[in-house]
Amino acid sequence: MCRNIRPLSNFEPSATDEEIHAAALQYVRKVSGSARPSKVNQEVFDTAVERIAHVTAHLLDDLVTTAPPKDRESEAEKHRARTAKRFATA
């Protein structure tokens, strides 16, 4: 899994269109092996991002959970703590 793609389900407020698009873009970049497609592939690349974003939005809308919604700030703090521990120098 690409480290830049973050879980988007069960947040309050729900994932934004920008977050969904960013995740779709990261996915397409990872799968295609290209961060910047050539001019000849740009349209195909953009279409893939839009389709994946669309499907992702439907997935997030349809998921059902009994867990309480997550808070973005507390999740970000957990991520910062894990990162600090991971990259701590001795």
Side-chain angles (χ1 to χ4, degrees):
M1 175 67 115
C2 184
R3 291 177 195 224
N4 292 331
I5 299 175
R6 302 285 175 227
L8 298 176
S9 65
N10 198 29
F11 276 100
E12 189 58 45
S14 300
T16 64
D17 290 340
E18 292 79 22
E19 290 172 315
I20 293 170
H21 184 270
L25 178 60
Q26 286 297 325
Y27 175 80
V28 172
R29 285 177 174 168
K30 185 72 166 187
V31 171
S32 70
S34 173
R36 292 189 194 103
S38 64
K39 288 182 183 179
V40 76
N41 288 324
Q42 186 68 53
E43 185 176 343
V44 173
F45 191 90
D46 293 342
T47 299
V49 171
E50 292 308 315
R51 287 180 179 175
I52 291 168
H54 178 78
V55 170
T56 301
H58 283 286
L59 170 67
L60 294 173
D61 288 343
D62 294 344
L63 287 174
V64 176
T65 183
T66 58
K70 296 179 274 187
D71 175 60
R72 278 183 171 66
E73 188 52 43
S74 64
E75 293 297 314
E77 183 57 40
K78 288 180 200 175
H79 176 70
R80 285 189 288 273
R82 284 190 306 267
T83 300
K85 183 178 178 181
R86 180 173 177 222
F87 294 108
T89 56

